[in-house]
Amino acid sequence: MQVNIFIPTLNAGKIWKDVLAGVAMQTYPISRLVIIDSGSTDGTLDLINEETCDLIQIDKKNFDHGGTRQMAAETFPDADIFVFLTQDAILAEPDAIRVMVESLANNPELGMVYGRQLPHKNAKVLETHARLFNYPAESKIRGLEDADRYGIRTISCSNSFAAYRKTAFFAVNGFPTGSILGEDVLIAGKMLLNGWKLAYLSHSKIYHSHDYSAIEEFKRYFDIGVFHINNHWIFENFGRAESEGFKYLKSELTYTLKHNPLLIPKCLITTGAKLVGYKLGLHYRSLPLGLSKSLSMTKAYWSRS
């Protein structure tokens, strides 16, 4: 099965060379490596070889989480599998792509798979817990019939490292345009509603984590609230997110108490910031546009709005 890898970039920074090295070390042959750059000025493009990859350049103001990825897939559809990475996700092992391809090849019911995210090697306690909680050691296949059991986590996935069967991808019209974020969750939900299944592959790994401040978490969860209220069909088919938040807090407090109790205040402050941000995002339509933009991590979305 032929594989195209797509990576959106904007000033990828020092980690970018490790991302490219991770792609280069894969044992499964890559048909195309497609870079979609939004105007990098930090030397990101100096590290790519245009003889061995395809480059799409767009204006920063035109970047759209779903629309940009969709455009890239439509520009280079000549593969059986589309793999999406982010510019800060380092493939951890040489067979990471091979595991994904073999899973899709061996199970025709799978429309997409996504891999396990390990914390970066210098990750702090809270960001390490986030990866351990959201990306456990057990692989799992989920379908629409699992919605009662897993709720909104049924369609958990991440385009930091995900692979899509082309036929399933285009059968549900690919990624949406205009969503503030969550294009991966939206396509996962559409696939399950159309009879496909998705798989979480714990043995296909990347290094990927973020050390967000409380303010950054507030803004990120504001955007998640906006995303959820704009896609109410997710609640209707897969349940709401609040109960998952309480499970996460309990796990985080237990982990933090064990590894660094001094971080408990930060844990509680960050959790409060997430909750307030999320609730405000759910009610963003009652807020002035300028205020919503200031509360959001995704400024370009509000300029388009």
Side-chain angles (χ1 to χ4, degrees), residues 54-113:
D54 295 280
L55 176 64
I56 301 173
Q57 293 180 286
I58 64 173
D59 193 294
K60 180 180 178 179
K61 70 177 185 296
N62 294 328
F63 177 81
D64 176 272
H65 285 286
T68 297
R69 289 177 169 89
Q70 180 70 14
M71 175 270 293
E74 291 176 351
T75 302
F76 295 104
D78 52 341
D80 304 294
I81 296 172
F82 301 151
V83 174
F84 289 87
L85 288 169
T86 49
Q87 65 181 24
D88 57 349
I90 302 171
L91 292 163
E93 296 170 344
D95 65 345
I97 300 295
R98 182 178 296 277
V99 169
M100 287 189 159
V101 173
E102 290 178 351
S103 295
L104 288 166
N106 293 333
N107 188 342
E109 290 187 308
L110 290 178
M112 66 168 292
V113 299

Side-chain angles (χ1 to χ4, degrees), residues 123-135:
K124 298 177 182 177
V125 171
L126 297 185
E127 57 183 303
T128 297
H129 168 263
R131 290 302 176 261
L132 296 176
F133 181 87
N134 290 316
Y135 300 93

Side-chain angles (χ1 to χ4, degrees), residues 215 218-220 222-223 287-299 302-303:
I215 292 175
F218 171 92
K219 292 185 174 184
R220 188 166 73 95
F222 178 83
D223 289 350
L287 303 176
L289 178 60
L291 178 58
S292 291
K293 183 175 182 179
S294 69
L295 299 178
S296 172
M297 185 176 275
T298 314
K299 307 298 185 187
W302 303 98
S303 297

Side-chain angles (χ1 to χ4, degrees), residues 115-119 131-132 135 158 160-161 200 206-209:
R116 186 180 188 188
Q117 297 187 25
L118 304 173
R131 290 302 176 261
L132 296 176
Y135 300 93
S158 173
S160 289
F161 186 33
Y200 165 63
I206 58 167
Y207 293 107
H208 179 249
S209 57

